Amino acid sequence: LHCETCVFAKSHKSSYSLRFSSSSELFELIHSDVWGPSKNLTLIGMKYFVLFIDDFTRLTWVVLLKKRDAVFSAFTAFHSLI
């Protein structure tokens, strides 16, 4: 049995670079991701969340949301925080 995907998944690379991005200071580059809707609501009725990750320090902030369209207001609040 020859599975091409299995062969690629087991491939090795001799060396990887230590950093994939080029941020050299705090909050120079922020990654974000929105997840949801969750099948189960939190106790206060939240079913989405958005992550903000600082590329330089890898510090992560999680913001819970009731609706997906609240992402922009969550970002502006995060931006004013930093």
Side-chain angles (χ1 to χ4, degrees), residues 22-30 54-56 82:
S22 59
S23 62
S24 58
E25 61 185 53
L26 292 171
F27 308 120
E28 182 179 9
L29 178 62
I30 301 291
D54 176 39
D55 188 71
F56 184 70
I82 61 170

Side-chain angles (χ1 to χ4, degrees), residues 29-34 50-54 61 71 75 78:
L29 178 62
I30 301 291
H31 302 278
S32 68
D33 187 25
V34 180
V50 61
L51 296 169
F52 298 107
I53 305 166
D54 176 39
W61 291 263
V71 171
F75 172 74
F78 173 75

Side-chain angles (χ1 to χ4, degrees), residues 10 19 35 44 50 57 59 63-64 66 70 73 78-79 81:
K10 293 180 181 181
R19 304 267 317 178
W35 186 87
I44 56 174
V50 61
T57 62
L59 285 172
V63 180
L64 298 172
K66 285 189 178 185
S73 61
F78 173 75
H79 187 264
L81 174 73

Side-chain angles (χ1 to χ4, degrees), residues 38-71:
S38 174
K39 291 189 295 185
N40 303 317
L41 300 178
T42 65
L43 293 175
I44 56 174
M46 306 295 191
K47 61 181 176 179
Y48 293 91
F49 68 82
V50 61
L51 296 169
F52 298 107
I53 305 166
D54 176 39
D55 188 71
F56 184 70
T57 62
R58 304 289 191 226
L59 285 172
T60 304
W61 291 263
V62 179
V63 180
L64 298 172
L65 308 169
K66 285 189 178 185
K67 295 190 229 176
R68 188 179 179 102
D69 61 0
V71 171

Side-chain angles (χ1 to χ4, degrees), residues 5-21:
T5 303
C6 295
V7 172
F8 284 122
K10 293 180 181 181
S11 65
H12 298 280
K13 186 176 177 183
S14 60
S15 64
Y16 292 93
S17 65
L18 297 177
R19 304 267 317 178
F20 294 109
S21 63

